[in-house]
């Protein structure tokens, strides 16, 4: 990583069982938004894949309703990122679905996460559009 790449605020591999605090969720949201604001994650560093793993663990441990589709799409994205033959348009479709689902969750959030989740949803859709070109 160069000096301009932000360092994640939370560990890449969370311990299990996972007890996620609001502060940790906020830090993970901040990390992911910062990563996506930098553009498409670099395959060499596997940072994007690490972010997918982190979200999968956090959302699986969460007791919040309405996350099953997002968890399923994260698993699909992880599989796609691990397969060298995956086409960009396939990843773009998964990111678009993740963006739409994240936006739905943001619309229903009432705990201060609406803004950051909306931003994350928009960034996922923006990245999807960039990859589908």
């Amino acid at each position: 990583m160069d000096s301009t790449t932000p360092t994640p605020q939370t560990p890449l591999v969370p311990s299990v069982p996972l007890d996620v605090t609001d502060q940790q969720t906020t830090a993970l949201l901040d990390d992911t938004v910062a990563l996506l604001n930098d553009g498409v994650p670099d395959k060499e560093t596997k940072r994007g894949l690490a972010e997918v793993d982190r979200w999968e663990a956090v959302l699986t441990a969460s007791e919040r309703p309405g996350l099953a589709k997002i968890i399923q799409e994260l698993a699909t994205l992880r599989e796609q990122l691990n397969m060298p033959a995956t086409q960009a348009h396939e990843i773009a479709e998964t990111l678009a679905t993740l963006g739409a689902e994240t936006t739905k969750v943001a619309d229903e959030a009432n705990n201060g996460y609406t803004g950051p989740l909306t931003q994350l949803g928009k960034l996922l859709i923006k990245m999807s559009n960039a990859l589908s070109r």
Side-chain angles (χ1 to χ4, degrees), residues 21-54:
T21 66
D22 283 341
Q23 183 180 9
Q24 290 168 316
T25 302
T26 300
L28 182 54
L29 261 171
D30 291 346
D31 287 349
T32 305
V33 167
L35 174 67
L36 296 179
N37 274 326
D38 285 342
V40 178
D42 185 339
K43 276 189 161 188
E44 315 306 308
T45 64
K46 300 269 189 200
R47 175 114 187 265
L49 188 56
E51 225 43 31
V52 170
D53 291 342
R54 292 167 73 197

Side-chain angles (χ1 to χ4, degrees), residues 15-119:
S15 60
V16 177
L18 193 61
D19 183 22
V20 182
T21 66
D22 283 341
Q23 183 180 9
Q24 290 168 316
T25 302
T26 300
L28 182 54
L29 261 171
D30 291 346
D31 287 349
T32 305
V33 167
L35 174 67
L36 296 179
N37 274 326
D38 285 342
V40 178
D42 185 339
K43 276 189 161 188
E44 315 306 308
T45 64
K46 300 269 189 200
R47 175 114 187 265
L49 188 56
E51 225 43 31
V52 170
D53 291 342
R54 292 167 73 197
W55 274 111
E56 225 177 343
V58 166
L59 296 179
T60 300
S62 173
E63 294 178 7
R64 295 182 178 111
L67 301 177
K69 179 68 174 169
I70 293 175
I71 294 167
Q72 177 186 347
E73 290 300 314
L74 285 170
T76 299
L77 182 59
R78 182 179 19 79
E79 289 171 16
Q80 290 171 331
L81 293 174
N82 278 317
M83 294 180 356
T86 302
Q87 300 294 307
H89 70 87
E90 295 171 311
I91 294 172
E93 288 177 23
T94 303
L95 289 174
T97 302
L98 277 169
E101 291 297 319
T102 300
T103 301
K104 281 184 199 175
V105 171
D107 290 344
E108 297 168 4
N110 59 2
N111 53 5
Y113 291 118
T114 300
L117 285 172
T118 299
Q119 182 182 13

Side-chain angles (χ1 to χ4, degrees), residues 88-89 92 125-133:
H89 70 87
I125 291 169
K126 180 180 175 183
M127 186 152 299
S128 167
N129 291 336
L131 285 174
S132 63
R133 289 186 187 140

